[in-house]
Amino acid sequence: MNFEFKTLDLVAIAAEKSDALIVLLTDAYKPGKGELAGLIAKALKAGDLETKTGKSLQLYQPSGAASKHVVLVGAGDGSPKQVRKAVMAAVGAIKSAGAKKLSLGFAAPATAGALRAAVLAAADASYVYTTTKSKPQGRALTHVLIGAQGSADLKPAFDLAVGAVKGIELAKEWGNRPPNHATPTLLSHAAKELAKHSKISCEVLGPKQVAKLGMGSFMAVAQGSRQELRFIVLRYDGAAKSQAPTVLVGKGITFDTGGISIKPAAEMDEMKYDMCGAASVLGVFRSLAELKPNINVVGLIPSCENMPDGLAVKPGDVVTSMSGQTIEVLNTDAEGRLILCDALTYAERFKPAAVIDIATLTGACVIALGAVRSGMFTENEELAEQLSKAGESSLDLCWRMPLDEEYAEGLKTHFADVANVAGRAGGAITAAKFLQRFTAKFSWAHLDIAGTAWKSGAAKGATGRPVGLLLDFLLAQTAKAQVSTKHAKQSRAKAA
Ligand code: BES
Ligand code: MN
Ligand code: ZN
């Protein structure tokens, strides 16, 4: 889908030839000139239209508009959140009309955040998965023209949003793919594909190399599957080599049966989404390829299936992780932490500025936070604040969870350095405490996306989260890096 941006007022956007026109009306809207504005004023006055979010009025070929279908929709206070709601509803309304070209206009001045929300919502509301359909009926919408005016230049916000959409949609695509169409090997091919973009490189390790590295914990999870494991290393080099990279580690379990500690049959298909952490890393790299920021990023994806088998790891088995710590596998369904711990140890070699792991790690996190916010765990105050902020600005929210030492109590065992599960209580936190044991050498945060990476029920599908959050986090690092190089330049200039 193509997005285009033009600085246009209501009269001008309404004059653009499209199949459908959506007009966003915020509380700040004051009817101006033009036939459409007259119509809006009349409808508002009659109470047939309100600027309250989601209230809408559909018109057919109204005078003053060059589009057949017109939706006037309230966007409340014009905040990104309200704009997202309004656009989701309005795009839903024009979907049945099969519009190919859509114009989307802000009737009142818009902010950068509101513009971004509009682009993301238009993409989200029109997204259709087609890869494994024999007669794909893809998204009808091929072109979206956004018309807005603001006090600041809105083009950078527009470009950022379009770049984010690319990554979010790649994450959705891989999340949604059935598990036989998204094996570890196929994921590694997707990563290799990304390396065709400039500044991105990719290395893929197989079973032999992973064994050589001593990733005994990761290998233990993979040993019950006929699909070979893959360890994917992606690099985005957008800054000087001297700049420490941020490392993203994505859980890439392409199917989680639970292993010998097998899961119940109901909804087990949803465990194809257990690679959504990995998909979010691929998505971020897709967006980096588009936006080319001035930073260094490493993406690490340990990927395998978790299957029951004659050779599968058993409850009670003790394995040795790459860090040297031994782990008693009390529950083979707590496999995410077993593959992540070795990837975290591998991350040490990059001397990272920070390491963030992203994982559909625990059902307990879904119970704690539902589908609204991802769980965020870190002992680093600065990281916590940056991640929270990135969540707010991208409308891809997270919530900080505790990491008190007492939560690690249940991981103690007589038979290894640590057990892979504690009791049921505080399950999302005990999982984070397990991971924390492997992060002594760098600043670390963990995002549990079990509740936010996909939707269940009738609207079943991957959400592309938390690509938006991660991108905003990384781009904020760019801003900081630029400020510090600017300072360096200034002080060099002063010295000279
Ligand atoms: N992939 C699951 C977590 C999950 C469960 C995500 C449900 C989304 C929905 C993970 O591997 C898992 O099975 N975790 C167990 C841990 C338990 C055995 C300590 C869980 O949450 O039940
Ligand atoms: Mn599991
Ligand atoms: Zn899992």
Side-chain angles (χ1 to χ4, degrees), residues 22-27 51-54 73-91 104-122 125 146 395:
I22 292 172
V23 179
L24 294 170
L25 296 162
T26 57
D27 299 336
T51 58
K52 212 167 117 185
T53 306
V73 63
D77 62 5
S79 65
K81 204 169 163 182
Q82 301 306 317
V83 165
R84 175 169 73 176
K85 255 194 199 162
V87 173
M88 291 294 285
V91 172
L104 203 164
F106 285 81
T111 61
L115 180 77
R116 166 152 59 145
V119 172
L120 291 175
I146 311 255
L395 298 184

Side-chain angles (χ1 to χ4, degrees), residues 256 263 306 333-335:
D256 181 11
K263 288 181 181 296
N306 185 22
D333 198 11
E335 85 297 340

Side-chain angles (χ1 to χ4, degrees), residues 122-146:
D124 196 21
S126 60
Y127 171 86
V128 188
Y129 169 82
T130 58
T131 311
T132 44
K133 298 263 195 162
S134 69
K135 295 180 188 71
Q137 287 224 307
R139 127 202 283 161
L141 214 52
T142 56
H143 192 93
V144 180
L145 168 68
I146 311 255

Side-chain angles (χ1 to χ4, degrees), residues 253-274:
I253 294 289
T254 59
F255 196 75
D256 181 11
T257 65
I260 297 298
S261 314
I262 200 159
K263 288 181 181 296
E267 279 128 46
M268 204 208 269
D269 66 290
E270 293 195 6
M271 282 302 122
K272 73 173 183 178
Y273 292 113
D274 214 14

Side-chain angles (χ1 to χ4, degrees), residues 251 253 256 258 261 263 270-271 274 306 331-337 360-366 420-424 427 430-431 448-451 454:
K251 173 178 173 183
I253 294 289
D256 181 11
S261 314
K263 288 181 181 296
E270 293 195 6
M271 282 302 122
D274 214 14
N306 185 22
N331 189 320
T332 65
D333 198 11
E335 85 297 340
R337 61 199 81 182
T360 48
L361 201 63
T362 66
C365 193
V366 189
N420 78 329
V421 291
R424 268 166 56 81
T430 55
D448 193 331
I449 58 166
W454 79 90

Side-chain angles (χ1 to χ4, degrees), residues 207-496:
K208 278 196 188 120
Q209 291 140 302
V210 161
K212 209 166 161 208
L213 284 163
M215 294 185 167
S217 186
F218 176 24
M219 285 159 59
V221 177
Q223 77 191 32
S225 168
R226 304 282 178 96
Q227 291 290 337
E228 278 193 2
L229 66 77
R230 290 290 180 269
F231 189 81
I232 302 166
V233 184
L234 274 161
R235 295 192 69 126
Y236 170 77
D237 295 301
K241 276 207 169 74
S242 56
Q243 198 170 306
T246 302
V247 178
L248 304 177
V249 181
K251 173 178 173 183
I253 294 289
T254 59
F255 196 75
D256 181 11
T257 65
I260 297 298
S261 314
I262 200 159
K263 288 181 181 296
E267 279 128 46
M268 204 208 269
D269 66 290
E270 293 195 6
M271 282 302 122
K272 73 173 183 178
Y273 292 113
D274 214 14
M275 36 58 72
C276 280
S280 77
V281 174
L282 295 178
V284 166
F285 273 76
R286 181 66 190 84
S287 293
L288 292 174
E290 214 59 33
L291 299 167
K292 294 270 163 17
N294 191 2
I295 44 169
N296 293 330
V297 185
V298 172
L300 300 178
I301 298 175
S303 181
C304 66
E305 291 181 334
N306 185 22
M307 300 289 282
D309 179 78
L311 289 173
V313 67
K314 305 170 289 298
D317 279 359
V318 171
V319 300
T320 304
S321 67
M322 185 180 174
S323 74
Q325 296 179 71
T326 59
I327 304 164
E328 186 184 21
V329 182
L330 286 175
N331 189 320
T332 65
D333 198 11
E335 85 297 340
R337 61 199 81 182
L338 294 176
I339 71 169
L340 290 169
C341 69
D342 281 341
L344 288 168
T345 302
Y346 187 87
E348 288 173 4
R349 67 187 55 205
F350 299 101
K351 300 193 170 48
V355 178
I356 300 168
D357 78 70
I358 309 106
T360 48
L361 201 63
T362 66
C365 193
V366 189
I367 303 300
L369 296 173
V372 181
R373 288 178 188 258
S374 305
M376 183 255 287
F377 302 76
T378 180
E379 280 197 319
N380 184 306
E381 297 300 322
E382 206 184 343
L383 264 185
E385 193 180 326
Q386 288 166 349
L387 288 166
S388 292
K389 265 198 188 150
E392 301 285 340
S393 60
S394 60
L395 298 184
D396 187 350
L397 302 169
C398 63
W399 192 257
R400 192 177 182 183
M401 302 279 280
L403 280 170
D404 301 278
E405 214 33 62
E406 289 83 347
Y407 285 110
E409 209 50 40
L411 295 171
K412 287 189 176 151
T413 165
H414 295 309
F415 306 105
D417 299 342
V418 66
N420 78 329
V421 291
R424 268 166 56 81
I429 312 166
T430 55
K433 287 308 284 184
F434 176 91
L435 293 178
Q436 193 182 24
R437 298 175 60 97
F438 302 85
T439 64
K441 302 221 167 95
F442 41 72
S443 308
W444 163 77
H446 157 59
L447 293 172
D448 193 331
I449 58 166
T452 53
W454 79 90
K455 289 184 187 138
S456 306
K460 191 193 280 188
T463 60
R465 291 177 69 181
V467 171
L469 181 158
L470 293 167
L471 261 186
D472 266 21
F473 171 80
L474 291 170
L475 295 174
Q477 312 296 311
T478 321
K480 272 198 300 181
Q482 273 164 358
V483 169
S484 58
T485 33
K486 208 168 134 195
H487 279 303
K489 267 189 200 149
Q490 277 167 355
S491 47
R492 268 202 302 274
K494 260 187 207 153

